[in-house]
Amino acid sequence: MQQPYQVSPNLGPQREALSIEVSYDRTMLAVQDEVMANVWLSLNSPGTAQMVLLDLGVPPGFAVLTEDLQALVAQGVIERFELTGRQIIVYLTDLPAGQPLSFQYRLQAKYSLRVQVPFSQAYDYYSPDRRGEQRPLLVVVEQGRARE
C-alpha cells in the first residue's frame, strides 16, 4: 500500500528564525498581586534584524506597570513600546544573531479570574517571514491570598 505522501529523511523540524519565550515568575496570584514577566528573544538566522516587533500578550484583567517599560526605553534596551487593550508592542532595533536579549516587566492582577494569556510573537518588520511565537500560558487569580 502506498502512502499518500513521501517523508524525506533529510527534513527535520525547522527552528524558528526568531525564538521568543515569555514566562511569569508565578501563575497563582491574588487580586492586586504583581507578577514579573520575563521575556527572552533570540535571532536564530544569520545577520541582524534591523527592526524587531514583539507582540506581548497581556492577560485579561491585568494592568501593565509601564514604569518598567519606560525604564527599559531610558536604558536603551528597547526602542519604544505601545499599549493596546490586549498587548504590548515593543520595538527593538539591530538585534544581532547569536546575542539573545532578555528583559522584565510587571503586571498587576485586577480581578479574580482564571485566564489564558494571549500568545506572544516576534517578527522582523523588514523580513516578516523571520518570526517566532510563544504559546498561551494559564494564569489563575484568586480573591484571597495566592497559593504558594
Side-chain angles (χ1 to χ4, degrees):
M1 184 156 152
Q2 192 173 22
Q3 292 184 3
Y5 59 88
Q6 190 84 10
V7 177
S8 172
N10 297 332
L11 295 177
Q14 291 186 343
R15 196 162 117 186
E16 295 176 311
L18 281 163
S19 294
I20 181 170
E21 292 180 25
V22 180
S23 62
Y24 291 167
D25 64 348
R26 56 199 174 124
T27 56
M28 298 289 291
L29 303 121
V31 175
Q32 298 301 315
D33 278 357
E34 293 179 4
V35 63
M36 183 67 71
N38 302 291
V39 178
W40 180 87
L41 176 70
S42 178
L43 176 62
N44 301 320
S45 58
T48 299
Q50 301 300 314
M51 175 64 72
V52 175
L53 274 66
L54 301 180
D55 180 349
L56 304 174
V58 175
F62 280 72
V64 178
L65 302 178
T66 58
E67 56 268 18
D68 296 335
L69 295 167
Q70 291 166 346
L72 292 168
V73 171
Q75 297 163 9
V77 175
I78 64 175
E79 191 71 26
R80 65 187 180 99
F81 69 93
E82 296 174 8
L83 296 179
T84 70
R86 298 177 50 183
Q87 66 192 35
I88 306 167
I89 302 171
V90 176
Y91 297 82
L92 305 169
T93 55
D94 300 326
L95 179 67
Q99 294 182 20
L101 171 70
S102 62
F103 61 89
Q104 299 177 319
Y105 63 93
R106 291 172 297 145
L107 301 159
Q108 185 175 41
K110 294 295 186 183
Y111 309 104
S112 176
L113 40 77
R114 178 184 180 99
V115 297
Q116 253 192 339
V117 179
F119 78 95
S120 295
Q121 65 177 335
Y123 62 94
D124 183 344
Y125 182 79
Y126 296 110
S127 299
D129 56 320
R130 291 182 7 171
R131 62 185 321 113
E133 70 178 38
Q134 162 88 33
R135 297 286 175 213
L137 305 168
L138 179 67
V139 177
V140 177
V141 180
E142 297 178 341
Q143 190 62 41
R145 289 189 53 121
R147 289 182 274 177
E148 298 298 322

